[in-house]
């Protein structure tokens, strides 16, 4: 059983963050809150792409199993394992999106409170 460690890699996500920050530093306006939202969005996009790749593997394996019921994926995984991975990625993405929403909402409320006190 092999585990794909790149599905939710903090190093990979940090690299995505830095690339998003570099793109935003060249753009005018938007501010730091937009920069955070866009960086988090890039991470979510990456996670979504991983889910799509896994869904394609499942589709390919299902088609292969029509002719050979004992067929496995390229990495030796069966259909149950691929489905379990896809479910896990879906849960991770859901949690990430929930955290993103909370982060943006909290920052926005903090800014609003600061502006009101000035």
């Amino acid at each position: 059983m092999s585990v794909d460690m790149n599905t939710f890699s903090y190093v990979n996500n940090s690299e995505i963050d830095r690339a998003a920050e570099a793109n935003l530093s060249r753009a005018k306006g938007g501010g730091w809150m937009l920069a955070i939202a866009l960086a988090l969005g890039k991470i979510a996009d990456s996670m979504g792409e991983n889910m799509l790749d896994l869904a394609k593997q499942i589709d390919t394996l299902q088609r292969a199993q029509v002719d050979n019921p004992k067929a496995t994926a390229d990495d030796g995984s069966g259909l149950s394992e691929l489905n379990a991975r896809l479910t896990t990625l879906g849960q991770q993405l859901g949690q990430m999106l929930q955290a993103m929403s909370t982060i943006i909402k909290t920052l926005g409320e903090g800014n609003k409170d600061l502006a009101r006190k000035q």
Side-chain angles (χ1 to χ4, degrees):
M1 176 169 128
S2 81
V3 177
D4 183 10
M5 297 305 287
N6 292 324
T7 57
F8 191 68
S9 166
Y10 288 105
V11 172
N12 185 35
N13 291 340
S14 294
E15 290 172 357
I16 292 169
D17 286 348
R18 298 299 85 76
E21 288 171 3
N23 288 336
L24 287 171
S25 68
R26 286 183 238 139
K28 293 182 180 179
W32 61 270
M33 193 166 167
L34 178 61
I36 290 172
L38 291 175
L40 291 172
K42 294 268 185 194
I43 293 170
D45 286 345
S46 174
M47 293 174 77
E49 288 173 9
N50 288 336
M51 286 182 68
L52 284 174
D53 291 341
L54 194 51
K56 288 176 186 176
Q57 287 179 22
I58 290 170
D59 184 53
T60 302
L61 181 56
Q62 284 177 330
R63 291 172 194 250
Q65 285 184 343
V66 169
D67 296 328
N68 178 10
K70 294 185 179 188
T72 60
D74 293 338
D75 64 356
S77 302
L79 207 51
S80 296
E81 184 178 340
L82 292 175
N83 281 321
R85 280 195 228 160
L86 184 59
T87 301
T88 302
L89 286 174
Q91 290 295 322
Q92 286 178 336
L93 181 59
Q95 290 172 354
M96 173 65 185
L97 293 173
Q98 224 173 9
M100 260 181 16
S101 175
T102 302
I103 290 167
I104 300 298
K105 181 180 176 188
T106 303
L107 290 171
E109 288 173 355
N111 283 343
K112 180 179 71 173
D113 290 344
L114 282 173
R116 191 176 337 137
K117 290 180 181 180
Q118 289 184 0

